[in-house]
Amino acid sequence: MLKVDLHTHTADDPVDDIPYTTFELIDRAAALGYEGLAITLHEKQLDIRPFAAHAAERGIVLVPGIERTIEGRHVLLLNFSDGAEDVATFADLARLKRRRRGLVIAPHAYFPSTSCLRGALERHADLFDVVERNAMYTRAVDFNRRAERWAEQHGKPVVGNGDVHRLMQLGTTHTLVDAEKDADAICHAIANGHVIVESRPLSTVEAARIASALVVGFDPERLVNEIGQRWQSVETIARSIAGTHISGSDISQS
């Protein structure tokens, strides 16, 4: 079983301000044991070729993807050989599916946002292969439940995705896929329901932390790491000047 996330964003995103690179996302995912990632920038399909070797060295296969706005609603289009960037209407999507193989996922379908599918999912049910369980939920507030009921009623698989805009979002919700480590095999297995969703609700503190990071526009975890690295540099310089070991506590007391 492969641990995958099929809804992530990086600094290459032309719409959202993301504070980490594609390489940093891959490295963080590898540290958490992921074996497959779809990098789904808004409105732009990332050319994954420059990143494929870096990912493969870390045991990760990259799946081509895009989060496309279709008639004002967000839709994940994965593993289409071409044409995904040109889809603007649900009629376009229907034509794309007739011409090319790929996977269409309904992300955060019933979340309270005008960009979420909601009624469009019901009107265009035949165009969707999979429904997403989105990681942004708590025990008390979970907008995924209606989407999962819809998926059960329509015989559609469910996948767990992080919808990652900050690295701290990786790890609480993901999908295990029974497939070979290959983009085509992963998408085929998902479409046929060979998946297990592993997901836990966020604590109130975690949800607030993520929400604040998204609103403020930076990743607190990354900021803490950068401060730590800079402090280590200060220590190194101080040791060099003094010629003796100077601890952080010594500096703070000087």
Side-chain angles (χ1 to χ4, degrees):
M1 302 289 279
L2 304 178
K3 181 179 179 178
V4 307
D5 194 311
L6 304 170
H7 190 177
T8 68
H9 300 264
T10 72
D12 296 293
D13 200 296
V15 176
D16 287 340
D17 184 16
I18 309 296
Y20 55 83
T21 68
T22 297
F23 289 115
E24 288 174 313
L25 173 68
I26 292 168
D27 290 346
R28 179 60 177 159
L32 293 173
Y34 283 85
E35 296 166 285
L37 283 178
I39 300 168
T40 52
L41 311 182
H42 289 287
E43 320 308 344
K44 170 187 173 183
Q45 182 157 310
L46 181 69
D47 181 359
I48 61 175
R49 290 174 296 180
F51 309 102
H54 184 84
E57 288 170 2
R58 288 152 182 77
I60 292 176
V61 62
L62 298 180
V63 180
I66 182 172
E67 185 167 16
R68 187 77 177 124
T69 302
I70 302 176
E71 297 183 18
R73 311 292 178 166
H74 288 176
V75 179
L76 296 177
L77 307 178
L78 302 188
N79 211 37
F80 287 94
S81 58
D82 59 73
E85 284 189 348
D86 301 322
V87 174
T89 68
F90 287 104
D92 291 341
L93 179 56
R95 284 189 288 270
L96 177 65
K97 291 198 71 174
R98 288 195 294 269
R99 296 196 319 266
R100 299 285 187 268
R101 287 189 306 170
L103 194 69
V104 180
I105 300 178
H108 42 63
Y110 290 100
F111 276 56
S113 168
T114 56
S115 64
C116 296
L117 285 159
R118 304 180 73 83
L121 179 61
E122 295 159 12
R123 291 191 298 274
H124 305 285
D126 57 321
L127 297 180
F128 290 90
D129 304 304
V130 186
V131 171
E132 173 186 274
R133 162 160 280 276
N134 189 283
M136 193 63 183
Y137 74 100
T138 67
R139 291 189 187 280
V141 181
D142 186 357
F143 296 108
N144 293 297
R145 292 169 183 156
R146 184 174 174 186
E148 289 176 330
R149 289 195 299 269
W150 186 93
E152 184 177 4
Q153 292 166 0
H154 291 81
K156 309 281 186 177
V158 174
V159 293
N161 287 331
D163 191 4
V164 177
H165 288 66
R166 299 292 182 269
L167 291 178
M168 71 179 80
Q169 292 176 271
L170 271 173
T172 62
T173 295
H174 56 266
T175 307
L176 300 180
V177 184
D178 187 8
E180 298 295 321
K181 196 178 288 186
D182 170 82
D184 290 339
I186 289 170
C187 290
H188 180 75
I190 291 170
N192 286 282
H194 302 313
V195 296
I196 298 172
V197 174
E198 292 195 337
S199 182
R200 71 163 178 82
L202 300 174
S203 69
T204 303
V205 171
E206 286 175 315
R209 182 182 175 213
I210 291 169
S212 64
L214 294 172
V215 171
V216 173
F218 68 89
D219 186 338
E221 184 174 350
R222 177 168 176 165
L223 181 62
V224 168
N225 289 338
E226 289 179 353
I227 291 171
Q229 291 167 5
R230 290 173 186 174
W231 182 255
Q232 288 174 358
S233 297
V234 169
E235 276 196 299
T236 301
I237 294 169
R239 291 192 195 104
S240 177
I241 292 171
T244 58
H245 174 76
I246 301 176
S247 70
S249 61
D250 290 334
I251 293 173
S252 67
Q253 294 168 10
S254 63

mmCIF file with all atom_site columns, all heavy atoms in Angstrom, residues 97-111:
data_model
loop_
_atom_site.group_PDB
_atom_site.id
_atom_site.type_symbol
_atom_site.label_atom_id
_atom_site.label_alt_id
_atom_site.label_comp_id
_atom_site.label_asym_id
_atom_site.label_entity_id
_atom_site.label_seq_id
_atom_site.pdbx_PDB_ins_code
_atom_site.Cartn_x
_atom_site.Cartn_y
_atom_site.Cartn_z
_atom_site.occupancy
_atom_site.B_iso_or_equiv
_atom_site.pdbx_formal_charge
_atom_site.auth_seq_id
_atom_site.auth_comp_id
_atom_site.auth_asym_id
_atom_site.auth_atom_id
_atom_site.pdbx_PDB_model_num
ATOM 1   N N   . LYS A 1 97  ? -12.593 14.040 -20.860 1.00 0.00 ? 97  LYS A N   1
ATOM 2   C CA  . LYS A 1 97  ? -12.693 12.656 -20.389 1.00 0.00 ? 97  LYS A CA  1
ATOM 3   C C   . LYS A 1 97  ? -12.939 11.682 -21.537 1.00 0.00 ? 97  LYS A C   1
ATOM 4   O O   . LYS A 1 97  ? -12.526 10.521 -21.464 1.00 0.00 ? 97  LYS A O   1
ATOM 5   C CB  . LYS A 1 97  ? -13.800 12.524 -19.340 1.00 0.00 ? 97  LYS A CB  1
ATOM 6   C CG  . LYS A 1 97  ? -13.482 13.223 -18.022 1.00 0.00 ? 97  LYS A CG  1
ATOM 7   C CD  . LYS A 1 97  ? -14.359 12.703 -16.898 1.00 0.00 ? 97  LYS A CD  1
ATOM 8   C CE  . LYS A 1 97  ? -13.977 11.288 -16.509 1.00 0.00 ? 97  LYS A CE  1
ATOM 9   N NZ  . LYS A 1 97  ? -14.722 10.803 -15.333 1.00 0.00 ? 97  LYS A NZ  1
ATOM 10  N N   . ARG A 1 98  ? -13.601 12.144 -22.587 1.00 0.00 ? 98  ARG A N   1
ATOM 11  C CA  . ARG A 1 98  ? -13.817 11.264 -23.744 1.00 0.00 ? 98  ARG A CA  1
ATOM 12  C C   . ARG A 1 98  ? -12.519 11.074 -24.534 1.00 0.00 ? 98  ARG A C   1
ATOM 13  O O   . ARG A 1 98  ? -12.318 10.015 -25.144 1.00 0.00 ? 98  ARG A O   1
ATOM 14  C CB  . ARG A 1 98  ? -14.905 11.838 -24.655 1.00 0.00 ? 98  ARG A CB  1
ATOM 15  C CG  . ARG A 1 98  ? -16.320 11.734 -24.097 1.00 0.00 ? 98  ARG A CG  1
ATOM 16  C CD  . ARG A 1 98  ? -17.368 11.961 -25.166 1.00 0.00 ? 98  ARG A CD  1
ATOM 17  N NE  . ARG A 1 98  ? -17.332 13.334 -25.684 1.00 0.00 ? 98  ARG A NE  1
ATOM 18  C CZ  . ARG A 1 98  ? -18.056 14.331 -25.182 1.00 0.00 ? 98  ARG A CZ  1
ATOM 19  N NH1 . ARG A 1 98  ? -18.858 14.124 -24.137 1.00 0.00 ? 98  ARG A NH1 1
ATOM 20  N NH2 . ARG A 1 98  ? -18.002 15.537 -25.715 1.00 0.00 ? 98  ARG A NH2 1
ATOM 21  N N   . ARG A 1 99  ? -11.641 12.077 -24.518 1.00 0.00 ? 99  ARG A N   1
ATOM 22  C CA  . ARG A 1 99  ? -10.421 12.037 -25.335 1.00 0.00 ? 99  ARG A CA  1
ATOM 23  C C   . ARG A 1 99  ? -9.223  11.449 -24.596 1.00 0.00 ? 99  ARG A C   1
ATOM 24  O O   . ARG A 1 99  ? -8.349  10.855 -25.227 1.00 0.00 ? 99  ARG A O   1
ATOM 25  C CB  . ARG A 1 99  ? -10.039 13.455 -25.795 1.00 0.00 ? 99  ARG A CB  1
ATOM 26  C CG  . ARG A 1 99  ? -11.036 14.144 -26.704 1.00 0.00 ? 99  ARG A CG  1
ATOM 27  C CD  . ARG A 1 99  ? -10.387 15.342 -27.399 1.00 0.00 ? 99  ARG A CD  1
ATOM 28  N NE  . ARG A 1 99  ? -9.514  16.109 -26.530 1.00 0.00 ? 99  ARG A NE  1
ATOM 29  C CZ  . ARG A 1 99  ? -9.888  17.187 -25.837 1.00 0.00 ? 99  ARG A CZ  1
ATOM 30  N NH1 . ARG A 1 99  ? -11.147 17.611 -25.914 1.00 0.00 ? 99  ARG A NH1 1
ATOM 31  N NH2 . ARG A 1 99  ? -9.026  17.838 -25.081 1.00 0.00 ? 99  ARG A NH2 1
ATOM 32  N N   . ARG A 1 100 ? -9.144  11.662 -23.294 1.00 0.00 ? 100 ARG A N   1
ATOM 33  C CA  . ARG A 1 100 ? -7.947  11.315 -22.534 1.00 0.00 ? 100 ARG A CA  1
ATOM 34  C C   . ARG A 1 100 ? -8.305  10.560 -21.265 1.00 0.00 ? 100 ARG A C   1
ATOM 35  O O   . ARG A 1 100 ? -9.353  10.780 -20.672 1.00 0.00 ? 100 ARG A O   1
ATOM 36  C CB  . ARG A 1 100 ? -7.171  12.587 -22.151 1.00 0.00 ? 100 ARG A CB  1
ATOM 37  C CG  . ARG A 1 100 ? -6.685  13.406 -23.331 1.00 0.00 ? 100 ARG A CG  1
ATOM 38  C CD  . ARG A 1 100 ? -5.488  12.751 -23.998 1.00 0.00 ? 100 ARG A CD  1
ATOM 39  N NE  . ARG A 1 100 ? -4.930  13.628 -25.025 1.00 0.00 ? 100 ARG A NE  1
ATOM 40  C CZ  . ARG A 1 100 ? -5.285  13.583 -26.318 1.00 0.00 ? 100 ARG A CZ  1
ATOM 41  N NH1 . ARG A 1 100 ? -6.211  12.708 -26.710 1.00 0.00 ? 100 ARG A NH1 1
ATOM 42  N NH2 . ARG A 1 100 ? -4.733  14.399 -27.192 1.00 0.00 ? 100 ARG A NH2 1
ATOM 43  N N   . ARG A 1 101 ? -7.392  9.705  -20.860 1.00 0.00 ? 101 ARG A N   1
ATOM 44  C CA  . ARG A 1 101 ? -7.545  9.028  -19.580 1.00 0.00 ? 101 ARG A CA  1
ATOM 45  C C   . ARG A 1 101 ? -7.007  9.926  -18.468 1.00 0.00 ? 101 ARG A C   1
ATOM 46  O O   . ARG A 1 101 ? -5.993  10.590 -18.630 1.00 0.00 ? 101 ARG A O   1
ATOM 47  C CB  . ARG A 1 101 ? -6.782  7.709  -19.571 1.00 0.00 ? 101 ARG A CB  1
ATOM 48  C CG  . ARG A 1 101 ? -7.425  6.610  -20.401 1.00 0.00 ? 101 ARG A CG  1
ATOM 49  C CD  . ARG A 1 101 ? -6.736  5.290  -20.159 1.00 0.00 ? 101 ARG A CD  1
ATOM 50  N NE  . ARG A 1 101 ? -5.295  5.373  -20.382 1.00 0.00 ? 101 ARG A NE  1
ATOM 51  C CZ  . ARG A 1 101 ? -4.433  4.413  -20.064 1.00 0.00 ? 101 ARG A CZ  1
ATOM 52  N NH1 . ARG A 1 101 ? -4.859  3.307  -19.488 1.00 0.00 ? 101 ARG A NH1 1
ATOM 53  N NH2 . ARG A 1 101 ? -3.147  4.554  -20.333 1.00 0.00 ? 101 ARG A NH2 1
ATOM 54  N N   . GLY A 1 102 ? -7.696  9.934  -17.355 1.00 0.00 ? 102 GLY A N   1
ATOM 55  C CA  . GLY A 1 102 ? -7.259  10.718 -16.207 1.00 0.00 ? 102 GLY A CA  1
ATOM 56  C C   . GLY A 1 102 ? -8.247  10.520 -15.068 1.00 0.00 ? 102 GLY A C   1
ATOM 57  O O   . GLY A 1 102 ? -9.233  9.781  -15.200 1.00 0.00 ? 102 GLY A O   1
ATOM 58  N N   . LEU A 1 103 ? -7.955  11.152 -13.953 1.00 0.00 ? 103 LEU A N   1
ATOM 59  C CA  . LEU A 1 103 ? -8.770  10.990 -12.749 1.00 0.00 ? 103 LEU A CA  1
ATOM 60  C C   . LEU A 1 103 ? -9.331  12.348 -12.340 1.00 0.00 ? 103 LEU A C   1
ATOM 61  O O   . LEU A 1 103 ? -8.588  13.325 -12.225 1.00 0.00 ? 103 LEU A O   1
ATOM 62  C CB  . LEU A 1 103 ? -7.902  10.422 -11.624 1.00 0.00 ? 103 LEU A CB  1
ATOM 63  C CG  . LEU A 1 103 ? -8.610  9.875  -10.391 1.00 0.00 ? 103 LEU A CG  1
ATOM 64  C CD1 . LEU A 1 103 ? -9.358  8.591  -10.724 1.00 0.00 ? 103 LEU A CD1 1
ATOM 65  C CD2 . LEU A 1 103 ? -7.588  9.612  -9.282  1.00 0.00 ? 103 LEU A CD2 1
ATOM 66  N N   . VAL A 1 104 ? -10.644 12.408 -12.117 1.00 0.00 ? 104 VAL A N   1
ATOM 67  C CA  . VAL A 1 104 ? -11.306 13.650 -11.717 1.00 0.00 ? 104 VAL A CA  1
ATOM 68  C C   . VAL A 1 104 ? -11.791 13.500 -10.279 1.00 0.00 ? 104 VAL A C   1
ATOM 69  O O   . VAL A 1 104 ? -12.583 12.608 -9.962  1.00 0.00 ? 104 VAL A O   1
ATOM 70  C CB  . VAL A 1 104 ? -12.493 13.981 -12.647 1.00 0.00 ? 104 VAL A CB  1
ATOM 71  C CG1 . VAL A 1 104 ? -13.163 15.288 -12.213 1.00 0.00 ? 104 VAL A CG1 1
ATOM 72  C CG2 . VAL A 1 104 ? -12.023 14.079 -14.099 1.00 0.00 ? 104 VAL A CG2 1
ATOM 73  N N   . ILE A 1 105 ? -11.302 14.381 -9.412  1.00 0.00 ? 105 ILE A N   1
ATOM 74  C CA  . ILE A 1 105 ? -11.616 14.321 -7.985  1.00 0.00 ? 105 ILE A CA  1
ATOM 75  C C   . ILE A 1 105 ? -12.405 15.561 -7.576  1.00 0.00 ? 105 ILE A C   1
ATOM 76  O O   . ILE A 1 105 ? -12.074 16.678 -7.978  1.00 0.00 ? 105 ILE A O   1
ATOM 77  C CB  . ILE A 1 105 ? -10.334 14.227 -7.140  1.00 0.00 ? 105 ILE A CB  1
ATOM 78  C CG1 . ILE A 1 105 ? -9.541  12.972 -7.517  1.00 0.00 ? 105 ILE A CG1 1
ATOM 79  C CG2 . ILE A 1 105 ? -10.658 14.228 -5.645  1.00 0.00 ? 105 ILE A CG2 1
ATOM 80  C CD1 . ILE A 1 105 ? -8.230  12.819 -6.761  1.00 0.00 ? 105 ILE A CD1 1
ATOM 81  N N   . ALA A 1 106 ? -13.420 15.357 -6.766  1.00 0.00 ? 106 ALA A N   1
ATOM 82  C CA  . ALA A 1 106 ? -14.205 16.458 -6.200  1.00 0.00 ? 106 ALA A CA  1
ATOM 83  C C   . ALA A 1 106 ? -13.570 16.856 -4.871  1.00 0.00 ? 106 ALA A C   1
ATOM 84  O O   . ALA A 1 106 ? -13.720 16.158 -3.863  1.00 0.00 ? 106 ALA A O   1
ATOM 85  C CB  . ALA A 1 106 ? -15.647 16.024 -5.987  1.00 0.00 ? 106 ALA A CB  1
ATOM 86  N N   . PRO A 1 107 ? -12.833 17.999 -4.822  1.00 0.00 ? 107 PRO A N   1
ATOM 87  C CA  . PRO A 1 107 ? -12.184 18.403 -3.569  1.00 0.00 ? 107 PRO A CA  1
ATOM 88  C C   . PRO A 1 107 ? -13.122 19.231 -2.685  1.00 0.00 ? 107 PRO A C   1
ATOM 89  O O   . PRO A 1 107 ? -13.957 19.973 -3.187  1.00 0.00 ? 107 PRO A O   1
ATOM 90  C CB  . PRO A 1 107 ? -11.018 19.262 -4.064  1.00 0.00 ? 107 PRO A CB  1
ATOM 91  C CG  . PRO A 1 107 ? -11.556 19.925 -5.303  1.00 0.00 ? 107 PRO A CG  1
ATOM 92  C CD  . PRO A 1 107 ? -12.510 18.909 -5.933  1.00 0.00 ? 107 PRO A CD  1
ATOM 93  N N   . HIS A 1 108 ? -12.972 19.070 -1.386  1.00 0.00 ? 108 HIS A N   1
ATOM 94  C CA  . HIS A 1 108 ? -13.735 19.852 -0.394  1.00 0.00 ? 108 HIS A CA  1
ATOM 95  C C   . HIS A 1 108 ? -15.123 20.244 -0.935  1.00 0.00 ? 108 HIS A C   1
ATOM 96  O O   . HIS A 1 108 ? -15.504 21.424 -0.955  1.00 0.00 ? 108 HIS A O   1
ATOM 97  C CB  . HIS A 1 108 ? -12.963 21.091 0.055   1.00 0.00 ? 108 HIS A CB  1
ATOM 98  C CG  . HIS A 1 108 ? -12.261 21.850 -1.046  1.00 0.00 ? 108 HIS A CG  1
ATOM 99  N ND1 . HIS A 1 108 ? -12.912 22.472 -2.093  1.00 0.00 ? 108 HIS A ND1 1
ATOM 100 C CD2 . HIS A 1 108 ? -10.939 22.075 -1.247  1.00 0.00 ? 108 HIS A CD2 1
ATOM 101 C CE1 . HIS A 1 108 ? -12.035 23.071 -2.875  1.00 0.00 ? 108 HIS A CE1 1
ATOM 102 N NE2 . HIS A 1 108 ? -10.830 22.841 -2.394  1.00 0.00 ? 108 HIS A NE2 1
ATOM 103 N N   . ALA A 1 109 ? -15.878 19.241 -1.359  1.00 0.00 ? 109 ALA A N   1
ATOM 104 C CA  . ALA A 1 109 ? -17.081 19.475 -2.174  1.00 0.00 ? 109 ALA A CA  1
ATOM 105 C C   . ALA A 1 109 ? -18.154 20.303 -1.482  1.00 0.00 ? 109 ALA A C   1
ATOM 106 O O   . ALA A 1 109 ? -18.823 21.116 -2.127  1.00 0.00 ? 109 ALA A O   1
ATOM 107 C CB  . ALA A 1 109 ? -17.663 18.134 -2.621  1.00 0.00 ? 109 ALA A CB  1
ATOM 108 N N   . TYR A 1 110 ? -18.340 20.114 -0.181  1.00 0.00 ? 110 TYR A N   1
ATOM 109 C CA  . TYR A 1 110 ? -19.426 20.805 0.513   1.00 0.00 ? 110 TYR A CA  1
ATOM 110 C C   . TYR A 1 110 ? -18.911 21.757 1.599   1.00 0.00 ? 110 TYR A C   1
ATOM 111 O O   . TYR A 1 110 ? -19.647 22.100 2.523   1.00 0.00 ? 110 TYR A O   1
ATOM 112 C CB  . TYR A 1 110 ? -20.395 19.790 1.113   1.00 0.00 ? 110 TYR A CB  1
ATOM 113 C CG  . TYR A 1 110 ? -21.200 19.072 0.046   1.00 0.00 ? 110 TYR A CG  1
ATOM 114 C CD1 . TYR A 1 110 ? -20.842 17.796 -0.380  1.00 0.00 ? 110 TYR A CD1 1
ATOM 115 C CD2 . TYR A 1 110 ? -22.286 19.695 -0.559  1.00 0.00 ? 110 TYR A CD2 1
ATOM 116 C CE1 . TYR A 1 110 ? -21.562 17.145 -1.375  1.00 0.00 ? 110 TYR A CE1 1
ATOM 117 C CE2 . TYR A 1 110 ? -23.016 19.054 -1.550  1.00 0.00 ? 110 TYR A CE2 1
ATOM 118 C CZ  . TYR A 1 110 ? -22.650 17.780 -1.960  1.00 0.00 ? 110 TYR A CZ  1
ATOM 119 O OH  . TYR A 1 110 ? -23.366 17.144 -2.948  1.00 0.00 ? 110 TYR A OH  1
ATOM 120 N N   . PHE A 1 111 ? -17.683 22.211 1.444   1.00 0.00 ? 111 PHE A N   1
ATOM 121 C CA  . PHE A 1 111 ? -17.178 23.223 2.362   1.00 0.00 ? 111 PHE A CA  1
ATOM 122 C C   . PHE A 1 111 ? -17.872 24.555 2.064   1.00 0.00 ? 111 PHE A C   1
ATOM 123 O O   . PHE A 1 111 ? -18.346 24.782 0.939   1.00 0.00 ? 111 PHE A O   1
ATOM 124 C CB  . PHE A 1 111 ? -15.657 23.354 2.218   1.00 0.00 ? 111 PHE A CB  1
ATOM 125 C CG  . PHE A 1 111 ? -14.877 22.347 3.034   1.00 0.00 ? 111 PHE A CG  1
ATOM 126 C CD1 . PHE A 1 111 ? -15.095 20.976 2.879   1.00 0.00 ? 111 PHE A CD1 1
ATOM 127 C CD2 . PHE A 1 111 ? -13.932 22.764 3.950   1.00 0.00 ? 111 PHE A CD2 1
ATOM 128 C CE1 . PHE A 1 111 ? -14.393 20.050 3.630   1.00 0.00 ? 111 PHE A CE1 1
ATOM 129 C CE2 . PHE A 1 111 ? -13.218 21.849 4.705   1.00 0.00 ? 111 PHE A CE2 1
ATOM 130 C CZ  . PHE A 1 111 ? -13.442 20.489 4.554   1.00 0.00 ? 111 PHE A CZ  1
#
